[in-house]
Amino acid sequence: MEFYQQVLQYLVTGVTLGSIYAIIALGFITIYNVTGIVNFAQGEFVMLGALIAISLYKNQVPIVVAFVGSVMVTTLIGAALQRIAIRPAKGASTLTLIIITIGASITIRGLGLITWGPDPYSLPAFSGDQPIAFGGAAIIPQSFWVFGATIVVLGGLYAFFEWTLLGKAVRACAINVSAARLMGISPSSMALFSFALSAGLGAIGGVVMAPMTLATYDMGSMLALKGFVAAIVGGFTSTPGAVVGGFLIGILESMGAGLISSGYKDAIAFVVLFLVLFLKPNGLFGGRDTGRGGL
Amino acid sequence: MLDDSTSAVMTNGSLLDARNLRKSFGGVVAVDGFSFTVKRGQIVAIIGPNGAGKTTAFNLVTGVHPLTSGEIHFCGQRIDGLKPYEIAERGISRTFQNLQIFGNMTVAENVMVGRHPRSKAGILSAALSLPNARAEEKRIFEVAMQNLKVVGLAHRAMDAASSLPFGSQRLLEIARALAVEPKVLLLDEPAAGLAGQETKDLAQLIYRIRDSGTSILLVEHDMELVMGVADWVFVLDYGKLIAAGTPSQIQSDKKVIAAYLGEEMD
Amino acid sequence: MERNGIGKYENYITLGALIVVMGSLPLLLSNSYHLSIMAFIGINTMLAVGLCLLMGYAGQVSLGHAAFYGIGAYTSGILTTTFKMNPWLAIGVAAVFTGVVAYVIGVPMFRLKGNNLAMGTLGFGIIVYIIFVEMRDWTGGPSGLTGIPSLSIFGFTFDNDLKYYYLIWAIALLFLVLSLNIVNSRVGRALRSIHGSEIAAETLGVNTNKYKIQILVVAAMYASVAGSLYAHYLTFINPQPFSFKLSIEIVVMVVIGGLSSVWGALLGAATTTVLSEVLRGVIPQFLKGATGEYEIVVFGIILMVVMIFLPEGLFSGSVRIVKSWRREKESKQRTVDETAIVEPSSVVAEGHLAVEDK
Ligand SMILES: Nc1ncnc2c1ncn2[C@@H]1O[C@H](COP(=O)(O)OP(=O)(O)O)[C@@H](O)[C@H]1O
Ligand SMILES: [Mg+2]
């Protein structure tokens, strides 16, 4: 294969990977914008999405139903997590909340291990395995699903936040909790909603990527980390920033793995993280000078 | 507390000289071209309606927020751009409108933190508990107790700071800021939430602090207190200086009255 | 003066008691399996005490603490095998090297507040783990390094569990004492002030960044020494024990012990080590064929439950509850016994007495 073809192939892979990271990053910032919490269990939603869909499919449920069912179940789990573990710790410090979501993350992962065991599972591709040639690179059809899912999710979120009352309420909460409360918006319901939404997003990511990788109970942590880096690169509060961050990490990772060394593939995202922290601590797109201190 | 060498370099006799301070948060211009000075031995007040930018001005002086533009001079040296701890080391300390008590410490320990810039023991001498570190620790404690006495909280020294009533927590913040031995002490709404007699005691406390050689910059809504203690008053509205003068000049200033009436109406 | 619920004299008493107990424990446990578990509790104590200073006192989360432990182990391992360096010297070199690494990553890392710092350290832990696996020429890759020499001094070789037990605990206790001293000092107060209110701390002249980095370096060096001891004790290392899972376990130790309690860290290390060992034995009995890391469920639940109900940690939280309950009882008694009004001046005098006590 020619060098240029190789690069193109890595680019295609990178965009696909990046789509997944972008969806996960969107999940992170959805919760963060509303509650100020970075949810360390975000990756577990992806795992749950993938494995629940696979289990449903194995039990003769049609793939479309398995997809929707898995996303719905995971959404409920996200809501339950907020009610069981986050709400009771009302008023807790950041440190406490971090530890709670870490606890939630490893609990869910452990429950995943008990439910599905340590073995990897796979899901058939949604529309076949026949690669499509594209300027010398081969694209597997599932890539379009993954990429499409990101676009749909991004569009859906945009429409939701811009055009619906609920979306506006969530945004109001993100901007100013006490003002939102004065306007009759309950921050607690919004927090619940943000966890549910975020879990649903993670699950969508999990289902669409399941046919491309083998799904295991511990797949979530690495994905969450990369999604997190994508969110940081994007400034952590910006929706388009998160998507661009996701693609950037995906492409860099794929290029790095292909052209430099595949062993260090997982380290690339963190090298990017450290570079961003050194050079642009507010992310590539964030320049806002906001003291969240509020003295 | 001021030695002659520092007063010699001071420009136009002012200890703290803020020139054209400007701070914007995204679109909101919280402080807009505000200049003020605090002279040695003065009690200076900044007043203005809620949201006028008073706390932001404090945050700029103490380095909590970087300036958008402007200059701050202290004892003849530029201090804008310095880190908050460097500004504290130079002799500016403050209290907070929204209390920032160390809830994880005793009352005495809260004040002992204020001795930080006036003491030295590093992590090594601390870890090895060297004699000089222990001796210093004892002195820190003694000075902290003196500061607590000044505000009348010595009897609560060993209690958890979070167990103090609200009014005493305000006093604790003052004691803690005094422990820094500031040349200028910034008080952000020290009377908020205090009862009548407590406010009168506070006025006495402010005089005592001034008499001990510390200048005071006061943000306060209680007009009786402000007009009673202040030598000079600056009035902010929407981040802009709208008036400055002695308390009696300010009380009869039309712009000031309008600004306050405007607040009452909405 | 009272700190973490234990006074200074109580600290000495506790320390004395601990030396006696740890010194005589091997007389009761001749079984080398039990001794090795006790030795591991000592190693874990070093890890937990460091993280306790960082997390409990300074309020900074590290989810990559296992990396420092690993760097210590690998640096000692490589220096003593490939370069035939004197093992004691290697422990020192490893500690300094790990301290430098902590400093270099600490500078950018502490630009991140709360949440992001946690992820940053997690990422650091993962990178280091990948390096252990991938730099085969140096680290031996997944199968690791073997033939790491045992420690010896003046002809006395540490060649069994008992000897390592004593060595490890001597050092663990040394770290405990150093940490107690730090905690009860100007620096310790500065650290706690960061946790209490970072902005207030800064405006009172505390260079918060400097102290965060210093304490990260200290914690990293503790972990490095623990890692070196691990390497010389087992004489072989591979990447597996230095993974994310251990970083989480160290957090569990600190959380169980009580976030801001140095003694609690020891208690947490003991509880977690034993619990981990027990779970590894028990879980396969009712989950047939279980071979994975099932115990993480238990740790996860512990983290959530403790943080929700006793955010200052299990040990400290319980101490506080018992204390306030006792105080309540006392004050009830006092109002019954002494009808006389307490003079304010006598209360002040009490305060001064406490001064002298110090
Ligand atoms: N950290 C901040 N981020 C964004 N806006 C801020 C911040 N601090 C203050 N502001 C805004 O600046 C303006 C002035 O606030 P402030 O200085 O607190 O007023 P005051 O103390 O006079 O009541 C307000 O509109 C406030 O919303
Ligand atoms: Mg204010």
Side-chain angles (χ1 to χ4, degrees), chain B residues 171-231:
Chain B
L171 292 173
L172 174 56
E173 280 210 347
I174 296 177
R176 193 174 71 176
L178 282 176
V180 175
E181 281 175 37
K183 296 184 178 108
V184 178
L185 172 65
L186 276 52
L187 301 173
D188 198 348
E189 305 204 14
L194 295 195
Q197 184 56 43
E198 286 177 318
T199 310
K200 293 210 177 72
D201 295 343
L202 178 67
Q204 293 310 310
L205 176 61
I206 290 174
Y207 284 130
R208 256 182 290 144
I209 294 169
R210 194 263 321 266
D211 294 344
S212 73
T214 301
S215 306
I216 288 175
L217 184 61
L218 171 72
V219 162
E220 186 47 65
H221 276 305
D222 185 324
M223 283 307 137
E224 212 183 311
L225 179 68
V226 170
M227 297 307 167
V229 300
D231 302 308

Side-chain angles (χ1 to χ4, degrees), chain B residues 13-18 34-47 58 183-190 206-207 210 214-220 225-235 241 243-247 250:
Chain B
S14 51
L15 195 55
L16 179 63
D17 182 4
F34 179 33
S35 300
F36 66 92
T37 57
V38 178
K39 296 200 174 81
R40 196 174 162 176
Q42 265 190 333
I43 299 175
V44 173
I46 301 177
I47 63 170
F58 271 22
K183 296 184 178 108
V184 178
L185 172 65
L186 276 52
L187 301 173
D188 198 348
E189 305 204 14
I206 290 174
Y207 284 130
R210 194 263 321 266
T214 301
S215 306
I216 288 175
L217 184 61
L218 171 72
V219 162
E220 186 47 65
L225 179 68
V226 170
M227 297 307 167
V229 300
D231 302 308
W232 195 260
V233 181
F234 292 94
V235 188
L241 182 69
T246 61
I250 292 300

Side-chain angles (χ1 to χ4, degrees), chain B residues 100 109 116 119 121 127 137, chain C residues 3 181 186 189 197 204 211:
Chain B
Q100 299 284 323
E109 285 172 328
H116 196 88
S119 46
E137 189 70 5
Chain C
R3 286 188 178 105
N181 285 340
R186 170 176 180 264
R189 231 175 5 253
S197 163
L204 292 165
Y211 287 108

Side-chain angles (χ1 to χ4, degrees), chain A residues 95 107 217 225 228 277-278, chain C residues 61 111-112 119 126-127 293 300:
Chain A
L95 179 73
T107 306
Y217 78 98
L225 278 160
F228 173 84
L277 294 180
F278 257 121
Chain C
V61 201
R111 290 184 180 180
L112 298 169
M119 277 292 186
I126 288 179
I127 292 188
E293 39 171 22

Side-chain angles (χ1 to χ4, degrees), chain C residues 155-214:
Chain C
F156 177 85
T157 308
F158 291 87
D159 52 9
N160 63 25
D161 290 310
L162 184 66
K163 290 174 185 169
Y164 270 105
Y165 166 91
Y166 279 117
L167 175 67
I168 286 169
W169 273 100
I171 295 174
L173 289 178
L174 172 71
F175 285 0
L176 275 170
V177 171
L178 293 179
S179 305
L180 283 168
N181 285 340
I182 291 176
V183 162
N184 292 306
S185 75
R186 170 176 180 264
V187 176
R189 231 175 5 253
L191 292 173
R192 280 183 300 154
S193 74
I194 299 173
H195 197 179
S197 163
E198 190 159 345
I199 286 179
E202 277 273 330
T203 61
L204 292 165
V206 177
N207 181 351
T208 54
N209 233 353
K210 175 178 116 184
Y211 287 108
K212 286 181 201 169
I213 291 171
Q214 278 189 354

